[in-house]
Amino acid sequence: MSTKAFKQEKIEAMKEKFAKAKVAVVTDYKGLTVEEITKLRRELQKQEGDYMVTKNTLAKLAAKGTPYEILDEALKGPIAIAFGFKDEVAPAKVLTKFIKEVKKGEILSAVLDGKILTKKETEVLSNLPSKEELYAKMLGSINSPATGIVGAVNAVMSGLVRAMDQVAKKKSA
């Protein structure tokens, strides 16, 4: 396979990822070993994401015409891009945790909803709860009043049954 064909294949693969991604996080992978990058990639894949080490020029070509084109300024030096296909928060969470564990690499920036995020904003994003956590909290809030009503109705019914039982015992005595 020629070099040009290989590069074109990489660009097409990256274009596909950009098209499906809800978020893209640019990282500096300097100092990471192949094993560490593989471990990070596996963690991101568990969260329906991916991690791709790439050349800046190829990433710029792949991002052209997409909302991720604004990453242009962040694509300097050795970079890798983490993509999130389902949850916007998961890649930032996984990367932040991983960087703290191995003490190598760093988050440079991210793109979310067509807006570029700084390193600091991406760290704030990583502290947000995931969609599943938010859904669970929301359902808990919705269920809470219903649970209270059921408890109150059951308490009234139990009191009525006990009162009737007491009346029945008095009449039989």
Side-chain angles (χ1 to χ4, degrees), residues 41-121:
R41 185 175 287 124
R42 298 291 173 256
E43 285 300 313
L44 283 163
Q45 286 169 345
K46 287 179 192 173
Q47 301 294 324
E48 294 194 41
D50 201 3
Y51 192 69
M52 187 176 222
V53 174
T54 183
K55 290 186 172 214
N56 299 329
T57 53
L58 298 181
K60 286 176 186 178
L61 289 170
K64 206 167 239 151
T66 72
Y68 300 97
E69 194 169 10
I70 58 177
L71 278 174
D72 223 11
E73 294 97 44
L75 303 177
K76 290 176 178 49
I79 57 125
I81 303 172
F83 297 95
F85 303 117
K86 185 177 178 189
D87 187 359
E88 293 88 345
V89 177
K93 276 186 182 296
V94 170
L95 284 165
T96 302
K97 181 181 174 198
F98 180 80
I99 290 168
K100 282 180 184 173
E101 282 176 11
V102 298
K103 295 175 181 34
K104 294 181 211 167
E106 72 174 304
I107 293 174
L108 301 175
S109 67
V111 172
L112 176 65
D113 292 332
K115 181 183 180 286
I116 194 150
L117 304 177
T118 63
K119 178 181 177 179
K120 195 77 164 160
E121 291 170 327

